[in-house]
């Protein structure tokens, strides 16, 4: 894309085997309230596609993306629709890299929904406008989702989870005009029979989130390593859901400081057991580390700061 500022009034649709390179480009949005899907970028997917059978081999790199700026300049921020920045659904082999996302209203900077082999790397997710009718846990800068009825952007509502996901080298913080996100990453849609798997969250900097910094829900084979979480209401939080025991969670080498009323590090297995757990080498205040319900360490391991 030539260096310029672009105004979107509907989503950019990205097809298979496409590299959308927005380096040095600014993209703002003025979407109508109805008539289009409210995401700045969406992959192409047929109405019947399920699983990971939709678009494949997609890269989105660079760009300064702002879904509300044009409304702010017109003095009508309240008329800006709730939006995602970038949405991928029923897709595989996705790379989102070096994207800067500003001041998303209510929803998510990046949503990976039924994605296999997805990487979000080197992105900056800055500022979030909260939904007054939802809890702060609803505001994930990067959400791992699965298509269930109202959150299906395209294709089948078949509850396909995400698998083989890497979130690395990203920064999540407040912006100059808006407070921080609810969470850097997490999920608020789940189904016991469809767990997210093989999720790595490593080397990210997360500041000023209004709920937890880093969270996973109904995800197993999870590795959360070498992240810095500063000044967030909560730190790192892993949770099972009823009917879905989880196994293999590793939380290692993270630095968590300045948390508020929530746990600095928490694993909640009271809805269903979480087994094969490693918590080691984290810099975290032990009085704010808690395990709930059945949380079983890996054989030979001892959970750091066990309470």
């Amino acid at each position: 894309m030539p260096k310029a500022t672009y105004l979107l009034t509907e989503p950019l649709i990205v097809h298979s085997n496409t590299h959308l390179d927005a380096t040095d480009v600014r993209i703002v949005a003025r979407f109508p309230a109805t008539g289009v899907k409210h995401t700045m970028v969406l992959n192409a997917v047929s109405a019947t596609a399920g699983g990971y059978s939709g678009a494949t081999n997609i890269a989105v790199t660079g760009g300064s993306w702002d879904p509300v700026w044009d409304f702010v300049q017109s003095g009508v921020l309240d008329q800006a629709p709730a939006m995602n920045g970038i949405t991928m659904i029923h897709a595989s082999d996705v790379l989102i890299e070096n994207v800067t996302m500003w001041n998303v209203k209510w929803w998510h900077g990046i949503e990976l929904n039924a994605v296999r082999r997805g990487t979000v790397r080197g992105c900056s997710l800055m500022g979030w406008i909260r939904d007054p009718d939802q809890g702060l846990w609803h505001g994930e800068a990067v959400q791992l989702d699965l298509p269930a009825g109202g959150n299906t952007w395209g294709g089948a509502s078949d509850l396909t989870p995400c698998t083989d996901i890497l979130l690395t080298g990203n920064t999540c913080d407040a912006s100059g005009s808006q407070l921080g996100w609810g969470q850097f990453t997490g999920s608020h849609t789940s189904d016991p029979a469809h767990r997210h798997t093989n999720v790595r969250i490593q080397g990210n900097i997360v500041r000023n989130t209004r709920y937890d910094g880093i969270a996973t829900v109904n995800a197993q084979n999870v590795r959360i390593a070498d992240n810095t979480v500063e000044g967030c209401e909560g730190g790192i939080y892993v949770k099972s859901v009823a009917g879905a025991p989880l196994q293999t969670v590793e939380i290692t080498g993270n630095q968590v400081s300045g948390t508020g009323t929530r746990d600095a590090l928490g694993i909640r297995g009271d809805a269903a057991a979480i087994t094969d757990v490693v918590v080691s080498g984290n810099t975290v205040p032990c009085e704010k580390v808690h395990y709930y319900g059945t949380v079983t360490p890996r054989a030979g391991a001892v959970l750091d700061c066990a309470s």
Side-chain angles (χ1 to χ4, degrees):
M1 299 172 69
K3 184 176 180 179
T5 297
Y6 295 86
L7 175 67
L8 294 181
T9 57
E10 59 185 51
L12 284 170
I13 304 299
V14 183
H15 294 262
S16 292
N17 303 312
T18 297
H19 179 194
L20 174 59
D21 187 352
T23 302
D24 297 326
V25 166
R26 179 166 171 76
I27 305 99
V28 299
R30 180 173 277 272
F31 280 32
T34 60
V36 299
K37 294 179 178 179
H38 288 151
T39 179
M40 296 178 80
V41 177
L42 179 65
N43 62 287
V45 58
S46 71
T48 58
Y52 311 108
S53 66
T56 185
N57 193 26
I58 289 174
V60 180
T61 61
S64 176
W65 303 76
D66 194 324
V68 301
W69 177 255
D70 198 61
F71 291 89
V72 170
Q73 292 303 292
S74 301
V76 289
L77 176 58
D78 60 319
Q79 296 179 21
M83 286 186 64
N84 275 1
I86 296 171
T87 306
M88 297 284 148
I89 186 166
H90 291 304
S92 58
D93 300 298
V94 169
L95 171 64
I96 301 172
E97 185 173 33
N98 297 332
V99 163
T100 300
M101 190 68 62
W102 296 99
N103 300 327
V104 170
K105 183 175 179 179
W106 293 14
W107 294 352
H108 313 293
I110 297 167
E111 179 176 321
L112 303 179
N113 191 325
V115 169
R116 178 176 60 190
R117 295 188 299 271
T119 296
V120 179
R121 181 170 62 205
C123 295
S124 297
L125 302 143
M126 313 300 287
W128 176 63
I129 302 167
R130 72 167 295 182
D131 182 347
D133 297 323
Q134 298 287 350
L136 290 167
W137 46 266
H138 197 267
E140 304 97 338
V142 180
Q143 188 193 16
L144 304 188
D145 211 348
L146 70 173
N151 67 336
T152 300
W153 293 83
S157 298
D158 62 358
L159 299 174
T160 299
C162 291
T163 188
D164 299 328
I165 301 299
L166 172 62
L167 312 180
T168 186
N170 302 289
T171 299
C172 179
D173 204 342
S175 69
S177 61
Q178 300 296 332
L179 298 175
W181 286 86
Q183 303 181 110
F184 164 54
T185 189
S187 304
H188 61 259
T189 303
S190 61
D191 181 86
H194 298 84
R195 301 168 180 84
H196 302 300
T197 55
N198 304 336
V199 178
R200 290 178 293 157
I201 305 167
Q202 61 187 50
N204 303 283
I205 297 172
V206 183
R207 299 189 179 103
N208 298 312
T209 62
R210 290 181 266 174
Y211 201 65
D212 294 321
I214 293 171
T216 63
V217 177
N218 200 32
Q220 64 182 11
N221 199 10
V222 169
R223 289 166 175 80
I224 302 172
D226 304 320
N227 301 282
T228 299
V229 180
E230 298 176 333
C232 300
E233 186 63 24
I236 297 170
Y237 204 72
V238 171
K239 180 182 176 182
S240 62
V241 298
L246 304 174
Q247 62 183 17
T248 310
V249 173
E250 299 179 2
I251 303 175
T252 60
N254 302 281
Q255 298 186 44
V256 181
S257 62
T259 53
T261 59
R262 290 184 56 78
D263 291 335
L265 194 160
I267 302 178
R268 181 169 287 278
D270 51 6
I274 305 177
T275 59
D276 188 34
V277 176
V278 175
V279 178
S280 177
N282 301 287
T283 302
V284 58
C286 282
E287 70 276 10
K288 301 196 72 175
V289 176
H290 297 99
Y291 306 105
Y292 305 91
T294 302
V295 178
T296 305
R298 180 173 297 168
V302 176
L303 298 179
D304 276 5
C305 299
S307 58

